Amino acid sequence: MKLYHSPASPYVRKVCVLLHELGRVQDVTLDTIATTAFDTSDVLIASNPLGRIPALVRDDGTTLYDSRVICAYVDDLFGGTFYPQGARRWETLTLEATGDGIMDSAVSMSYEMRLRPETERSQDWIEAQWAKVARALKVLDARWMSHLNGTLDIGHVSVGCALAYIDFRHGARNWRDGNDSLAAWFATFESRASMQATLPPAA
């Protein structure tokens, strides 16, 4: 299988972290591709009409896209346990959606700051996106620590990659301030071999 990949993407990192945790990195070839919201790769569009990464080309030539779909697929394919059954499943999926939502807002901020000309940037938009991130972090710190301190699942991976992306692109925001429990959890999670093996390039 082939994964269209950019080392700076938190969504791609989420898939790669899961592959490391499953011990199946060798089963997926990374195809690094240059693409942005304003300049989408034609190669990528041929596999994913949305022009977004990650996109996983399976051995039969069909493509899966969106990190949630790809992660669920590889976990099922390789017999993982990152998507538990029963009542915990819905907690796990909600936690994954929270991490992915943080990524969505943080990436949107990055696009506004890095891709738009300075005269066209909207500081109001940037701050509105950060407000979403900040609210989600507060809820994680207040309500989700028992889950995060429990058995590893896809929710942990999503939240961990989201927090790492904030450090990568928005470190000056100091998200740890006032989120002591979440910060302590992340200090342990980011030291995992899977996270260290998937570090993005220097910002």
Side-chain angles (χ1 to χ4, degrees):
M1 293 186 292
K2 177 171 66 176
L3 182 73
Y4 286 120
H5 166 277
S6 171
S9 166
Y11 308 102
V12 170
R13 189 178 188 186
K14 179 183 161 191
V15 175
C16 290
V17 167
L18 180 58
L19 288 170
H20 277 275
E21 293 288 349
L22 292 169
R24 303 308 291 255
V25 176
Q26 72 281 358
D27 293 292
V28 179
T29 300
L30 299 184
D31 190 338
T32 303
I33 196 163
T35 188
T36 74
F38 293 140
D39 185 17
T40 305
S41 163
D42 290 337
V43 172
L44 181 59
I45 290 173
S47 291
N48 176 3
L50 298 174
R52 295 175 181 170
I53 51 175
L56 180 72
V57 183
R58 296 188 288 181
D59 292 338
D60 64 2
T62 60
T63 303
L64 301 177
Y65 44 88
D66 187 278
S67 67
R68 280 185 249 189
V69 174
I70 296 170
C71 285
Y73 173 74
V74 299
D75 186 66
D76 182 70
L77 179 66
F78 297 131
T81 58
F82 281 77
Y83 289 85
Q85 298 302 311
R88 186 178 170 87
R89 177 177 181 81
W90 306 112
E91 276 197 6
T92 297
L93 293 177
T94 301
L95 188 58
E96 181 187 19
T98 303
D100 285 10
I102 291 170
M103 292 182 208
D104 291 345
S105 289
V107 168
S108 181
M109 290 170 65
S110 295
Y111 284 168
E112 191 74 9
M113 296 162 61
R114 296 169 65 86
L115 298 183
R116 285 188 185 276
E118 186 172 358
T119 55
E120 296 179 11
R121 293 174 195 162
S122 170
Q123 194 61 37
D124 288 343
W125 175 262
I126 292 169
E127 294 307 320
Q129 297 307 308
W130 179 251
K132 296 178 183 183
V133 171
R135 288 195 301 269
L137 296 178
K138 288 295 183 187
V139 170
L140 288 171
D141 190 74
R143 302 180 190 172
W144 284 94
M145 295 314 304
S146 61
H147 188 113
L148 286 170
N149 287 318
T151 304
L152 184 68
D153 60 35
I154 197 62
H156 297 72
V157 175
S158 178
V159 170
C161 290
L163 297 178
Y165 184 77
I166 297 173
D167 280 346
F168 177 52
R169 292 297 195 203
H170 309 293
R173 294 281 180 168
N174 193 21
W175 67 265
R176 291 169 178 78
D177 187 24
N179 296 307
D180 295 349
S181 296
L182 185 61
W185 171 81
F186 182 63
T188 299
F189 187 82
E190 69 174 340
S191 69
R192 295 182 71 86
S194 61
M195 291 291 285
Q196 292 301 304
T198 57
L199 287 169

